């Protein structure tokens, strides 16, 4: 088994060993081509004097029983391993937790956004109490499942400024199949203003051009009431 230098050594070797270390191969070949030790070496960043970070990563995996064993340890236990320490231990566990959360969220069923009532129910508790307007974009997948909900604009008590570009930027980043707009009226009256209607039509036109239809624009209020520009007939059904 590889003997590591004592943990108190403060002379470090850098991540790249030779012309093609893990980072270089990740860039050239793709992150999926890296071994567990390669990935661990990238997260660790540095090794010890006389021990490269790649050797440290291999030794660590052997000592704890692979990534599965690493995930079962707490930060204190990992930090006690020579060459690791508290900062690296936390970095390792943070990386494992990011992967776990990403996996769980990718396999979790997406809630379906079926109608304006469902949209209003989801957003009333989040927006109705605010004293200023916010505009959110709901990005949907091909089955009207909720892909993401992101705020794109925030204004004052009397309104906010937004352009179709602001909305489309989010929709395209989230690879939305369709979108819904949602915003709040701090006044308590959810009736759409002329500016709301004009903005909705401009966004709908821009969405049509890029092939990401605008399905609805829902306005919520502090009274719990809401309106849907689709239900009102102001926004025609997307085809």
């Amino acid at each position: 088994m590889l003997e590591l230098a004592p943990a108190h050594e403060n002379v470090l070797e850098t991540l790249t060993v030779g012309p093609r270390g893990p980072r270089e191969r990740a860039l050239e070949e793709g992150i999926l081509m890296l071994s567990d030790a390669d990935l661990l070496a990238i997260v660790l960043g540095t090794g010890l004097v006389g021990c490269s970070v790649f050797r440290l990563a291999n030794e660590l995996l052997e000592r704890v029983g692979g990534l599965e064993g690493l995930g079962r340890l707490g930060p204190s236990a990992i930090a006690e391993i020579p060459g690791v320490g508290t900062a690296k231990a936390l970095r390792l566990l943070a990386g494992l937790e990011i992967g776990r959360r990403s996996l769980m969220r990718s396999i979790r069923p997406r809630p379906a956004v079926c109608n304006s009532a469902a949209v209003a129910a989801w957003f009333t508790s989040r927006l109705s109490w605010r004293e200023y307007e916010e505009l959110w974009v709901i990005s949907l997948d091909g089955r009207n499942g909720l892909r993401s909900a992101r705020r794109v604009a925030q204004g004052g008590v009397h309104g906010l400024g937004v352009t179709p570009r602001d909305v489309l930027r989010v929709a395209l980043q989230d690879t939305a199949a369709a979108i819904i707009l949602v915003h709040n009226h701090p006044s308590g009256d959810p009736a759409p203003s002329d500016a709301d209607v004009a903005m909705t039509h401009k966004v709908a036109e821009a969405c049509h051009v890029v092939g990401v239809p605008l399905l609805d624009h829902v306005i919520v209020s502090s009274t719990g009431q809401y309106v849907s520009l689709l239900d009102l007939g102001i926004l025609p059904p997307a085809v």
Side-chain angles (χ1 to χ4, degrees):
M1 183 178 292
L2 175 67
E3 291 293 327
L4 297 178
H8 65 268
E9 293 286 348
N10 57 11
V11 181
L12 302 177
E13 289 190 5
T14 58
L15 172 64
T16 304
V17 181
R20 296 182 72 251
R23 285 190 297 206
E24 287 71 25
R25 282 186 285 111
L27 291 172
E28 295 171 9
E29 304 169 18
I31 200 76
L32 294 177
M33 301 302 295
L34 300 188
S35 67
D36 290 352
D38 289 331
L39 296 171
L40 200 61
I42 291 176
V43 177
L44 287 169
T46 56
L48 290 169
V49 60
C51 174
S52 72
V53 67
F54 184 72
R55 293 176 62 197
L56 173 60
N58 273 290
E59 170 68 11
L60 177 59
L61 290 175
E62 182 178 348
R63 182 174 297 209
V64 303
L67 293 178
E68 299 88 345
L70 187 63
R72 290 191 290 267
L73 296 178
S76 298
I78 299 174
E80 291 176 357
I81 297 173
V84 182
T86 301
K88 289 180 181 177
L90 292 173
R91 202 154 63 225
L92 289 172
L93 291 178
L96 290 173
E97 181 62 15
I98 288 172
R100 187 190 69 82
R101 294 186 187 185
S102 175
L103 175 61
M104 293 301 296
R105 292 172 186 176
S106 67
I107 63 178
R108 184 173 58 192
R110 293 171 177 167
V113 181
C114 304
N115 50 48
S116 58
V119 174
W122 202 81
F123 273 93
T124 295
S125 62
R126 291 166 171 81
L127 291 180
S128 62
W129 56 273
R130 296 191 182 277
E131 297 181 353
Y132 47 83
E133 288 193 21
E134 291 185 2
L135 178 70
W136 286 62
V137 173
I138 301 177
S139 294
L140 305 176
D141 61 22
R143 297 183 178 181
N144 284 350
L146 178 63
R147 183 181 291 276
S148 69
R150 296 170 59 184
R151 186 181 68 187
V152 296
Q154 176 179 312
V157 175
H158 301 295
L160 51 81
V162 66
T163 67
R165 179 182 298 178
D166 299 323
V167 174
L168 289 177
R169 182 183 298 114
V170 171
L172 296 176
Q173 286 176 349
D174 293 344
T175 61
I179 64 170
I180 296 173
L181 296 180
V182 185
H183 87 278
N184 61 308
H185 277 181
S187 66
D189 180 3
S193 66
D194 292 341
D196 293 336
V197 173
M199 183 271 288
T200 301
H201 286 152
K202 288 181 180 179
V203 171
E205 291 171 4
C207 286
H208 178 72
V209 170
V210 300
V212 181
L214 174 63
L215 301 184
D216 200 353
H217 183 176
V218 178
I219 303 173
V220 299
S221 71
S222 58
T223 63
Q225 297 177 309
Y226 74 92
V227 298
S228 157
L229 273 66
L230 174 64
D231 295 346
L232 293 176
I234 296 173
L235 179 67
V239 293

